[in-house]
Amino acid sequence: MEGFVKVLRKMFRHPVSIAGIILVLLFLSIAIFAPLLAPPAYPWNPYMMPQSGLSAVPQPPSPQHIFGTTQGQYDIYYGVIWGTRTALEVGVVVIGLALVIGILIGTLAAYFGGWVDELLMRITDIFLAFPFFVGVIVVITIIGPGITNVMWALVIFYWMTYARLIRGSILEVKENQYVMAAVALGTPGGRIITRHLLPNSIYPVIIQASMDMATIPLTAAALSFLGLGAPVGYADWGQLASFARNWIITPSGGNPFQYWYTIFFPSVTIVLYALGWNLLGDTLRDILDPRMLI
Amino acid sequence: MTLAEVKSIQTTQNQSKNDQILLEVKNLKKYFPIKAGVFRSTVGWVKAVDDVSFYIKKGETLGLVGESGCGKTTVGQTILRLIEPTGGHVFYNNVDLFKLSKGQMKKYRSKLQMIFQDPYSSLDPRMRVKDIIAEGLKAAHIGNTKERYEKVRDYMQRVGVSPTYMNRFPHEFSGGQRQRIGIARALVLNPELIVADEAVSALDASVQAQVLNLLDDLQQEFHLTYLFIAHNLSVVRHVSDRVVVMYLGKVVEIANKHEIFSDPLHPYTKALLSANPIPDPTVKRKDRIILQGDVPSPANPPSGCRFHTRCWLAQPICAQEEPKLEEVHPGHFVACHFWKNLEDQNK
Amino acid sequence: MAQKLLEVKDLHTVFHTEDGTVEAVSGVNFEVYQGETLGIVGESGCGKSVTSLSIMRLLPKQTGEITKGEIIFKGKDILKLPENEMRHVRGKEIAMIFQEPMTALNPVYTAGEQVAEMVELHLGMSKKDAYNYAVEMFRKVGIPMPEKRVYNYPHELSGGLRQRVMIAMALSCNPSLLIADEPTTALDVTIQAQVLDLMRKLLKEYNSSLIMITHDLGVVAEIAQRVAVMYAGQIVEYGDVVTVFKNPSHPYTIGLMKAIPRPDVEVERLISIEGNVPDLFHMPKGCRFNNRCPYAIDKCMEMPPLFEVEPGHLSRCWRYKEIKDLLKKEDGVDVGRG
Ligand SMILES: Nc1ncnc2c1ncn2[C@@H]1O[C@H](COP(=O)(O)OP(=O)(O)OP(=O)(O)O)[C@@H](O)[C@H]1O
Ligand SMILES: Nc1ncnc2c1ncn2[C@@H]1O[C@H](COP(=O)(O)OP(=O)(O)OP(=O)(O)O)[C@@H](O)[C@H]1O
Ligand code: SF4
Ligand code: SF4
Ligand SMILES: [Mg+2]
Ligand SMILES: [Mg+2]
């Protein structure tokens, strides 16, 4: 606990870290308070964006739709707010599961070494042999589109990064004599892993995970953009971007940026979101250095 | 048990002190693979410990000295099975430790303890000192948290680190303080045998004296046995009953300390003793034997006597025939073809 | 008289810890002349390593801080240098051999790579030359089979070999000042003799200076010209080696000398100084040694300054004049040997 307070104190020493933390906190609160910020139109399925017409032409910001509407009259503001929830949900679920699988496999491989290591790492290599995006798309084509299936497909092809990272890290930590000292004291294997190996090797993984909180939801958004993710009308930044793609430059001539709002609000949101997690990752990298922590 | 009974047990123990062998090491070997190339294939072996035999009697302190890299730490760690041996036997109270399964070995863990050479890498940087010292107690399910910390406090006091520091992390201590934390960690388990690997080399003279006195007190009190690995010969001389001298993975001489220090029969022992620095700036040692030549590598040891590349008494036969470790006087073992020459020189 | 290379003036170094701020070094003064070796000895935890880290400006960034003092190296206060200039001083001008070889070496690079990198950086050698140079340095410090050992990772080396790698790395750029923090504790005495010999030779060759931090009074006697004895963050005795060893004038120095097991005589029990070093939060008032000093008097409740026992020989003890007589009264104890 004291350690945690220290980490916080260090975080707040640099303005850049503060910016990262504020951004991440901002998105977290948007996700939490989404029902207040943008009351759902269909309470039984709040993720569906309210549609205020069927016109194919986007409408500029107005008191009813402060960020304007997309083609098909979906409210951009609503999409941005509830899309935050989608993004965080995707991130937490996918990265959480990938972490569990990756840490388990990487730790076992590094701790036992020998054939266990050989076997687990070969399996990891097999998964790594698929190009990430191709693999994910193939799996989605097999199990069908939809936000849940997208998450599964991402987990299946993402845990390897963590497995490798934690394995390398543990192999390094294992060389320290305190691990041998623990054996000499009769400490059981499980405790050696949880008390000595993981605490000293988990940080690179946490940093990586924080960076991935920026990219994984964007990958999911990209899949939605391709039509493989969320169904039409689902509050998701990928959807918003996908709706905007025909309106970035006015299709019919005249003022080329007449429909700026269709792409402006979603992309600013996405950029800020990615920036926030990246800054947080950097901050963690700085402060989790074992010599500086504690 | 009444006090008289305890006393009588102690006296019988003291009587048997001279004959009861606690630990016997027989033909111990440890080879490390040398890996090279992209596939990290094994291209050779570092013969870190090559056919080493000696014994330790109950309640005695056996000093182990020798060149850096000659395999002292490896001997200590294989005896405790912290690294797996390549060959040989270690009998502890007549049980061959190398034949035990990992599970069976657990029973012996708290009895056989080690003080590690490197006080930096042997303490987990993310654990508090109290948890580091209590780790063995916890593993052996001794006491509850409160009792364990009570013991931790007691032993911190004994090794001379203020218990007010128990909540700190290792990097907040100096080298010597860390070494004492490592000592406390080993002592708190009440072991029977302690392998002390350079246990006092990071300590300044007065703390060193304190710790050596403490080790001595504990030996008196609990009849502890030490395998004491050290470079500082004055310290070895002070603590040991007998001394083993190693060179390049082999034992070259074993004798009780008086004989080793006054009448060394192996040329390497002699060179070692002559290099011992004397804490007096006005004394310039003239008898110092500076060994010539490179330290050979344990991956590719010289033929015959391993010391022949640097020995000033070497004869042609030394390069061909390996001298056996022979008992030349009662309890005095030496591995040299020409130990007699040295004995004459000493006189 | 040789030129002053380094002058440490009134150095104060503190650590900001969880429980508050502690002063690990309190007002240390010393100087090092060109070509000279200064030995620093003292109780473990008395601030020797922190002093050297302060000179290198390598204190832990978040917690360590130099609050006062000057460190004049070649006429310039290096505490005032910007970090990028300090980087050029480190390694090239002032090199350090660390007390902990394992943490100071990077576990993921081979020993050779680490030496070669230093040389590439500071001497501007090509990669290939740097590698050959590293092999040469390994040979110089007595590492067997240097051509092979450069490919070893630190954990594949014994404690002694690691320490020699550190020494090779520090000496590789011919620094004008070498700070060696316990460089030989991990070495056996024959290698230690070799390494000390090597250091002496290289120091002479390049007219470099050495600060030798060690616990081994034998090593100090062998290599140093002057010695500083530290206790609880302060220098308590300072002077040339022969004088301090023959005529120790501070009770702590005397205790230290009594405590070493002597190579010539055997004793039943070693004489250690009673009690423990005061912890940094609870420094005694006045003389910091007064809670353990057998000669303490009422006056010792005040902090003694450094008195000049004789020219160039300083002692931080109120009773520096009487100490000799006091010692004589204790029968059978002969301290300054000879
Ligand atoms: N894990 C390992 N892999 C390869 N070689 C090793 C390994 N551990 C030790 N060695 C080698 O085995 C030999 C003996 O090492 P060991 O640490 O036992 O020496 P030591 O006598 O304790 O030396 P020191 O006094 O310097 O600590 C050395 O040559 C060392 O390089
Ligand atoms: N990072 C740190 N945080 C808090 N206190 C520290 C830190 N580093 C050192 N100290 C404290 O500063 C004091 C001086 O430490 P230093 O390492 O200089 O001792 P030393 O004289 O080198 O001892 P040794 O001979 O045992 O290495 C010690 O009491 C130590 O506990
Ligand atoms: S056997 Fe020969 S080479 Fe070996 S120590 Fe004896 S004299 Fe020297
Ligand atoms: S000043 Fe007093 S307490 Fe301090 S060392 Fe001298 S006699 Fe001892
Ligand atoms: Mg060793
Ligand atoms: Mg130190």
Side-chain angles (χ1 to χ4, degrees), chain B residues 115-337:
Chain B
I115 300 170
F116 286 86
Q117 178 168 10
D118 184 347
Y120 288 87
S121 82
S122 61
L123 304 180
D124 187 336
R126 290 187 196 275
M127 270 168 84
R128 285 172 201 279
V129 162
K130 60 178 181 194
D131 295 318
I132 291 176
I133 300 178
E135 183 168 9
L137 294 173
K138 187 153 192 194
H141 306 290
I142 298 172
N144 58 28
T145 312
K146 197 160 152 263
E147 288 160 0
R148 285 197 289 264
Y149 286 155
E150 208 40 61
K151 258 191 133 152
V152 166
R153 233 176 247 124
D154 177 28
Y155 275 82
M156 284 180 81
Q157 193 80 51
R158 281 186 186 225
V159 296
V161 180
S162 163
T164 51
Y165 288 160
M166 65 193 283
N167 282 317
R168 292 203 176 184
F169 291 93
H171 76 273
E172 294 173 89
F173 292 90
S174 79
Q177 291 166 327
R178 289 183 201 216
Q179 189 61 286
R180 282 181 270 175
I181 291 163
I183 294 173
R185 167 171 68 183
L187 291 180
V188 77
L189 284 169
N190 279 328
E192 289 179 5
L193 173 81
I194 296 185
V195 175
D197 193 0
E198 307 281 355
V200 296
S201 59
L203 307 179
D204 67 279
S206 88
V207 180
Q208 173 178 295
Q210 267 177 15
V211 171
L212 291 178
N213 288 341
L214 169 73
L215 291 179
D216 191 38
D217 292 344
L218 292 168
Q219 186 163 48
Q220 306 290 334
E221 197 177 334
F222 301 110
H223 213 57
L224 284 183
T225 308
Y226 297 118
L227 175 61
F228 195 89
I229 304 174
H231 285 309
N232 187 322
L233 296 174
S234 311
V235 168
V236 170
R237 175 174 169 160
H238 176 77
V239 299
S240 310
D241 297 307
R242 290 184 308 127
V243 177
V244 174
V245 184
M246 281 181 71
Y247 183 79
L248 217 61
K250 294 258 181 201
V251 171
V252 296
E253 190 166 359
I254 307 178
N256 82 38
K257 71 165 162 194
H258 304 291
E259 281 179 51
I260 284 271
F261 280 89
S262 60
D263 192 18
L265 296 183
H266 194 282
Y268 175 67
T269 314
K270 181 125 182 152
L272 198 63
L273 295 179
S274 81
N276 195 21
I278 295 177
D280 185 343
T282 53
V283 175
K284 290 279 166 263
R285 293 194 75 147
K286 294 198 194 63
D287 60 340
R288 175 163 292 170
I289 303 162
I290 298 277
L291 291 176
Q292 299 302 319
D294 263 355
V295 184
S297 140
N300 186 16
S303 60
C305 172
R306 293 190 172 186
F307 189 50
H308 84 255
T309 51
R310 304 167 76 201
C311 179
W312 68 97
L313 289 179
Q315 308 270 339
I317 184 185
C318 300
Q320 284 144 28
E321 204 170 303
E322 186 178 338
K324 286 208 177 58
L325 190 68
E326 281 178 292
E327 187 164 12
V328 297
H329 297 302
H332 194 151
F333 299 80
V334 61
C336 171
H337 294 303

Side-chain angles (χ1 to χ4, degrees), chain C residues 250-252 287-291 293-297 299-300 302 304 316-320 323:
Chain C
H250 191 282
Y252 174 68
C287 172
R288 292 186 170 178
F289 191 52
N290 64 16
N291 58 340
C293 180
Y295 311 109
I297 48 174
K299 180 81 175 158
C300 303
E302 285 168 48
R316 194 185 285 280
C317 174
W318 290 115
R319 309 185 73 183
Y320 71 100
I323 278 295

Side-chain angles (χ1 to χ4, degrees), chain B residues 22-62:
Chain B
L22 182 71
L23 186 94
E24 184 166 14
V25 177
K26 269 197 175 152
N27 310 104
L28 181 65
K29 288 195 182 91
K30 175 66 195 178
Y31 299 168
F32 290 105
I34 306 174
K35 304 219 158 143
V38 241
F39 298 108
R40 305 292 286 163
S41 52
T42 304
V43 295
W45 300 91
V46 174
K47 298 183 177 173
V49 175
D50 200 3
D51 205 0
V52 160
S53 304
F54 61 85
Y55 58 86
I56 312 180
K57 289 181 246 174
K58 195 163 170 50
E60 84 168 340
T61 301
L62 182 70

